[in-house]
Amino acid sequence: MSASTFHEAMVNAGIVPRDPIPGDGQLHRFHVQGDKSGSRNGWAVLHLDCVPSGAFGSWKLGSFHTWCSKTGRELSFAEQALQAERIEAARQQRLSEQMQRQDSARRRAVRIWRQATPASPHHKYLIDKQIEPNIARQKGGSLVLPIVGFDKKLKSLQFIKPDGSKLLLSGGQKRGCVIPIQQQPETHRILICEGFATGVSLAGMDPESIVLAAIDAGNLKVVAVATRQMWPGAEIVLCADSDEVGLAKAKAAALAAGGLLAVPEFPPNSTGSDFNDLVNMRRRNA
């Protein structure tokens, strides 16, 4: 019964394993339904002795959930302590696994980046976005972009296919990392945006600023805070995408980092959403 309710809790959280999780107290990795075939982004730990309890999550989503069976009685102090100990042990196991995955991905990223060649300016994505290759390299038909930490070391890679679809290197670190679009030895202004094309367009608009792409909206806040810690006296500008999620995340990031907010403004009934769209619209109307 406890194993089935644990499974139900996982399903309710959107982390669905193919097979039941053994109740042996060990961390198990598994394929999450809906993820890329062959991936094992899910993890879970289940204890079925004493007070049944467990933890589970997804490395892809960065999630961590805990679960405890409802016993119908108040847990004793010893049982509460045991449950807390197990949750902390699961957290540490998860962090250890995550570090191993990220280290493996980092080594693959370095190897792929070295093998990649300078990106062709005729790549369809670059033509569609009307941007130069900038720091992009190319492997096969995909652009390859470096994802680095604030220690300036390569952590992972992003791949962009000709149709614009984007993939991150499996297991690679993303949180708190950036695509470094434009670097400067000294600067008073740092522009932070979501994606590569937007960043390249911003670099063209402001060639004297540092430009960092946070990869996606969910990463804006942690990147902005880390930027403030790195450059405490700089003017930080969050360059938002104008969609609902992008705008909300950029506002929160600007507030957390004591930065400014810049939002592209488009004519009524236009379809633009970011600064790359704005630059290209102005170019067409010039």
Side-chain angles (χ1 to χ4, degrees), residues 62 98 102 147-150 155 172-178 214-215 218-219 221-223:
Q98 184 178 43
Q102 291 179 349
I147 296 176
V148 304
F150 279 82
K155 304 294 185 181
Q173 182 180 347
K174 180 189 73 172
R175 179 176 171 80
C177 296
V178 300
I215 307 165
N219 205 32
K221 183 176 179 180
V222 65
V223 164

Side-chain angles (χ1 to χ4, degrees), residues 65-228:
H65 304 270
T66 60
W67 171 87
C68 180
S69 175
K70 294 180 174 61
T71 62
R73 62 176 175 81
E74 186 175 348
L75 299 181
S76 68
F77 178 80
E79 289 172 332
Q80 292 179 40
L82 177 62
Q83 184 181 3
E85 180 182 331
R86 286 176 168 177
I87 290 174
E88 180 58 27
R91 192 185 307 276
Q92 293 302 321
Q93 281 184 281
R94 176 233 183 194
L95 289 174
S96 177
E97 284 269 345
Q98 184 178 43
M99 290 178 63
Q100 292 178 33
R101 283 164 54 87
Q102 291 179 349
D103 186 59
S104 176
R106 180 191 58 78
R107 293 195 298 270
R108 295 200 312 274
V110 170
R111 183 173 64 252
I112 294 170
W113 182 248
R114 288 174 177 171
Q115 294 171 347
T117 58
S120 168
H122 304 296
H123 190 279
K124 184 178 182 300
Y125 181 77
L126 300 178
I127 293 174
D128 290 346
K129 294 294 185 178
Q130 300 182 53
I131 57 174
E132 297 296 321
N134 193 267
I135 60 170
R137 295 185 183 180
Q138 190 166 337
K139 186 173 178 61
S142 296
L143 297 177
V144 184
L145 305 175
I147 296 176
V148 304
F150 279 82
D151 58 3
K152 299 185 179 180
K153 294 181 180 179
L154 184 68
K155 304 294 185 181
S156 186
L157 300 170
Q158 184 180 58
F159 304 93
I160 304 181
K161 296 182 179 181
D163 63 2
S165 57
K166 300 174 182 178
L167 294 172
L168 296 175
L169 186 66
S170 177
Q173 182 180 347
K174 180 189 73 172
R175 179 176 171 80
C177 296
V178 300
I179 300 171
I181 306 295
Q182 183 166 269
Q183 297 294 304
Q184 301 290 355
E186 295 183 12
T187 187
H188 297 293
R189 181 182 298 112
I190 302 167
L191 309 181
I192 302 174
C193 63
E194 289 187 35
F196 171 68
T198 301
V200 175
S201 295
L202 289 168
M205 296 168 64
D206 189 351
E208 296 185 357
S209 291
I210 289 177
V211 180
L212 307 175
I215 307 165
D216 59 32
N219 205 32
L220 285 172
K221 183 176 179 180
V222 65
V223 164
V225 171
T227 300
R228 174 58 71 203

Side-chain angles (χ1 to χ4, degrees), residues 248-263:
K249 295 291 187 179
K251 284 181 178 179
L255 183 63
L260 304 175
L261 180 70
V263 183

